[in-house]
Amino acid sequence: RMGWGQPLGASFGPACATVNDKALSGRSSKSFFDEGAWTPVKNALKAGDYVLIQFAHNDEKSDVPTRSTQPQTTYTQFLTTYVNDTRAKQATPLLLTPINRNNWSGATVSNSHGLYPDAVRELAASLKVELIDLTALTKAYFERIGRAETDKLFLILAAGQSPNYPDGVTDNTHLQERGALVIGQL
């Protein structure tokens, strides 16, 4: 299991960029802030840094009050905090829509994030922040390679295929290493 930010640094030569992946699994825009994970990131920012800001998968969990946000209110409020704090340090924020889950309807990837991607797009426009639309990029990519190949990007493993998942696993949200590398390249 690997997030796309974990191997991202390998995409850049050391003279070009250093990637410090500060993402935490299972966090929403709210819990990342409330747990204090944002404070050390904010404090370490320097002029010229770039901050890639992507949340949604865990913001959608309405049954988990410590994570749950609403797309047009609390979600965008937390994202705005991250953008404003980044800019205050003369660093550059980049907003990213969430990657699609491996959910299909026939040959089409299904919308698995409701109103969250649109909320990020609208916020990026209103705050004049660059946007990387990973929702659109992953939809187009997954549909181009098809479901069978997309399955190979996600944490879908047969019993005995990995010592970490001896009984196998079918997880259409989290990526395998190959998937993390591919999404980082997008």
Side-chain angles (χ1 to χ4, degrees):
R1 179 171 149 174
M2 183 180 282
W4 64 263
Q6 288 174 271
L8 189 61
S11 297
F12 300 95
C16 178
T18 300
V19 175
N20 293 309
D21 178 17
K22 299 299 182 181
L24 296 173
S25 182
R27 301 316 189 280
S28 68
S29 63
K30 173 183 172 35
S31 63
F32 192 80
F33 186 86
D34 289 348
E35 292 174 8
W38 173 242
T39 300
V41 174
K42 177 179 70 171
N43 291 344
L45 287 176
K46 302 179 305 296
D49 286 348
Y50 288 83
V51 179
L52 282 66
I53 305 164
Q54 180 192 53
F55 292 95
H57 285 81
N58 292 293
D59 287 84
E60 301 166 12
K61 295 185 176 188
S62 59
D63 59 333
V64 184
T66 57
R67 296 182 192 168
S68 178
T69 63
Q70 295 301 311
Q72 300 300 327
T73 57
T74 48
Y75 178 63
T76 54
Q77 290 166 1
F78 282 106
L79 296 181
T80 299
T81 296
Y82 299 137
V83 166
N84 290 340
D85 288 352
T86 299
R87 284 179 165 165
K89 295 283 197 146
Q90 279 112 29
T92 302
L94 297 152
L95 287 170
L96 291 83
T97 57
I99 71 168
N100 278 290
R101 289 184 173 92
N102 188 21
N103 293 340
W104 295 77
S105 176
T108 303
V109 172
S110 302
N111 175 1
S112 58
H113 297 294
L115 299 174
Y116 289 87
D118 284 339
V120 178
R121 292 178 189 113
E122 292 165 12
L123 183 65
S126 72
L127 296 178
K128 296 179 176 39
V129 174
E130 292 296 324
L131 174 74
I132 299 172
D133 195 340
L134 277 180
T135 304
L137 288 169
T138 54
K139 177 179 175 55
Y141 181 72
F142 296 164
E143 289 175 357
R144 183 169 56 80
I145 66 171
R147 181 162 192 167
E149 290 301 309
T150 300
D151 283 351
K152 295 175 185 176
L153 303 177
F154 284 86
L155 197 55
I156 301 171
L157 304 169
Q161 194 173 348
S162 168
N164 294 333
Y165 301 92
D167 298 328
V169 63
T170 300
D171 179 340
N172 287 304
T173 296
H174 297 98
L175 301 167
Q176 298 187 46
E177 182 177 6
R178 178 172 179 253
L181 290 166
V182 166
I183 300 305
Q185 289 170 352
L186 290 176

